Amino acid sequence: AIAFTRMGGYADITTKDDTPASVHRILEEAVAERVTMSSDSNGSMPRWDSKREHIVGMGVGKMTNLYRAVRRMVVEENIPLETALPFITSNVAKALDMYPKKGSVQSGGDADLVLLDQDLNISGVIARGRPMMLDGELLDVLSTEGKAGGGYCTSIPDYEVPFIFANFNGTQHDVEVVTHEAGHAFAAWMNRDRVPMASVWPSLEACEVHSMSMEFFAWKWAEGFFGADTRKFYYSHLSDALTFIPYGTMVDHFQHRVFEEPDLTPAQRHAVWKELLGIYMPWMRLDGDIPFYADGEGWQRQHHIYDRPFYYIDYCLAQTVALQFWARIQKDPQAAWENYMAYTKQGGSAVFTDLLKNAGLDNPFGDKCLKEVCAAARKWLEEYDLEGLA
């Protein structure tokens, strides 16, 4: 391959763990401008024995391989960034006869850019020359007079972009909402070219995995939102996520009761809600000073009961999976992200349980999954240093 580059050909390297260290030889012996790197993303990847004589198994090429290879070249092998980048940018574009429209930052180019911070962590993406969500005015999140309530993400297929709608009120919830909806937006962007269009989005519980999990992946940047209150946010966010599961289950149970007994009076429905509160959320005061809640009328504020019946059990399933991601992030953030990408890139190509299986995730319908994620979250909360959080 090295000799071939000297003859004017291109040689491509499939990135793997030892790729960064091998670049020194490429720079010394090959024509570096004729060398490209690829990830073989989602392609079969053989695993060899220690002598590289026999295949001992098969793996799958990861989408993160290119980024990780470049980062390791710079951080571990002390190769200048300007030397490492052409292997995955300009060299590739030239080999495919797409330069300078691709692979360069100059007037007339496509300007598909990945932005890195000073530690070479990915901090942003510019697609087709603009930060898609901000400059494209695809975020409508500030509260204004006369604006509809709620928050959601949708797609605009003709423009191949997502759109996020919300109503910020200056609370912690603003951050949770925007990171939640960003999970939906990311999934929509990842699958924007999927055909048929109906397979862009999976079923509702599968969609909510994208969003509820993204809330936890965004913890890495929480300090930028909360500053000195970041630790308080971590505790509040995880405890709310954990206690949401019994609340969401209660909403579903309540709907079963009122649909099974359509002749219940308003007062009787309130009584059912209050009864279920005592079962699912026994830590809640049922004799408070606010009649709306004390009298069991709180179900009225849950608009899903009216316009999205039985949606809340989907949230519960998704939250269980999201807590899996939270637990994996605590152990290995990069591996957790790779699981998330493996799940998200499937779009709506499979049913919920198969999407989970394909991404190496546990099925929340089993007893083991819910028990384990709740135990991990409870342990973390019980051991959390609460000093200074009052």
Side-chain angles (χ1 to χ4, degrees), residues 149-378:
Y152 62 83
C153 174
T154 189
S155 295
I156 308 176
D158 288 348
Y159 294 90
E160 296 184 335
V161 293
F163 177 83
I164 292 176
F165 178 95
N167 282 273
F168 284 0
N169 58 11
T171 67
Q172 166 186 327
H173 192 57
D174 294 348
V175 175
E176 294 167 352
V177 167
V178 77
T179 54
H180 178 103
E181 302 303 340
H184 289 309
F186 180 70
W189 175 256
M190 284 284 294
N191 293 281
R192 64 192 184 281
D193 296 325
R194 189 174 287 280
V195 176
M197 187 183 299
S199 65
V200 169
W201 297 99
S203 52
L204 294 178
E205 75 281 12
C207 285
E208 297 302 338
V209 172
H210 301 143
S211 53
M212 296 177 121
S213 303
M214 186 62 83
E215 294 181 39
F216 291 124
F217 282 106
W219 271 24
K220 183 176 179 179
W221 294 275
E223 189 171 359
F225 293 106
F226 297 103
D229 288 330
T230 300
R231 291 182 58 255
K232 186 184 297 185
F233 164 73
Y234 290 153
Y235 187 86
S236 173
H237 187 208
L238 182 61
S239 58
D240 285 349
L242 193 60
T243 56
F244 172 82
I245 294 176
Y247 173 75
T249 307
M250 178 181 69
V251 172
D252 187 74
H253 192 163
F254 175 77
Q255 290 175 97
H256 278 278
R257 288 283 298 273
V258 297
F259 275 97
E260 289 167 357
E261 304 175 61
D263 295 328
L264 289 176
T265 66
Q268 289 172 324
R269 293 190 186 114
H270 301 336
V272 170
W273 182 259
K274 195 168 183 177
E275 172 195 342
L276 295 178
L277 271 172
I279 297 172
Y280 288 96
M281 305 181 75
W283 58 87
M284 297 285 290
R285 284 187 58 186
L286 302 180
D287 59 349
D289 298 328
I290 304 176
F292 180 76
Y293 294 103
D295 294 341
E297 300 177 21
W299 65 273
Q300 294 280 3
R301 63 180 294 276
Q302 195 60 69
H303 69 87
H304 295 74
I305 292 174
Y306 288 100
D307 58 20
R308 295 288 188 277
F310 301 105
Y311 195 158
Y312 254 57
I313 202 65
D314 294 322
Y315 280 124
C316 294
L317 293 167
Q319 187 72 287
T320 306
V321 178
L323 285 168
Q324 276 190 70
F325 279 116
W326 171 84
R328 295 186 184 198
I329 291 168
Q330 309 315 302
K331 297 178 180 179
D332 187 340
Q334 183 61 40
W337 179 251
E338 289 172 2
N339 287 135
Y340 181 81
M341 289 294 289
Y343 177 85
T344 303
K345 69 181 178 61
Q346 299 176 84
S349 63
V351 298
F352 179 49
T353 51
D354 286 343
L355 294 175
L356 296 170
K357 181 179 179 181
N358 296 339
L361 296 163
D362 293 332
N363 187 334
F365 289 105
D367 295 337
K368 174 175 175 258
C369 177
L370 182 59
K371 184 180 296 184
E372 288 184 352
V373 297
C374 289
R378 178 177 180 177

Side-chain angles (χ1 to χ4, degrees), residues 88-202:
I88 66 169
T89 56
S90 57
N91 291 3
V92 180
K94 290 174 182 177
L96 298 175
D97 198 24
M98 300 174 72
Y99 187 88
K101 188 172 180 60
K102 298 285 188 183
S104 68
V105 182
Q106 57 181 291
S107 178
D110 279 355
D112 294 328
L113 307 174
V114 176
L115 307 182
L116 307 178
D117 62 20
Q118 60 183 2
D119 296 318
L120 301 187
N121 296 309
I122 295 176
S123 62
V125 175
I126 294 178
R128 299 174 185 172
R130 58 182 181 171
M132 290 300 293
M133 298 304 292
L134 291 176
D135 287 4
E137 297 185 357
L138 299 171
L139 286 163
D140 181 1
V141 298
L142 301 180
S143 296
T144 57
E145 186 176 355
K147 183 178 178 180
Y152 62 83
C153 174
T154 189
S155 295
I156 308 176
D158 288 348
Y159 294 90
E160 296 184 335
V161 293
F163 177 83
I164 292 176
F165 178 95
N167 282 273
F168 284 0
N169 58 11
T171 67
Q172 166 186 327
H173 192 57
D174 294 348
V175 175
E176 294 167 352
V177 167
V178 77
T179 54
H180 178 103
E181 302 303 340
H184 289 309
F186 180 70
W189 175 256
M190 284 284 294
N191 293 281
R192 64 192 184 281
D193 296 325
R194 189 174 287 280
V195 176
M197 187 183 299
S199 65
V200 169
W201 297 99

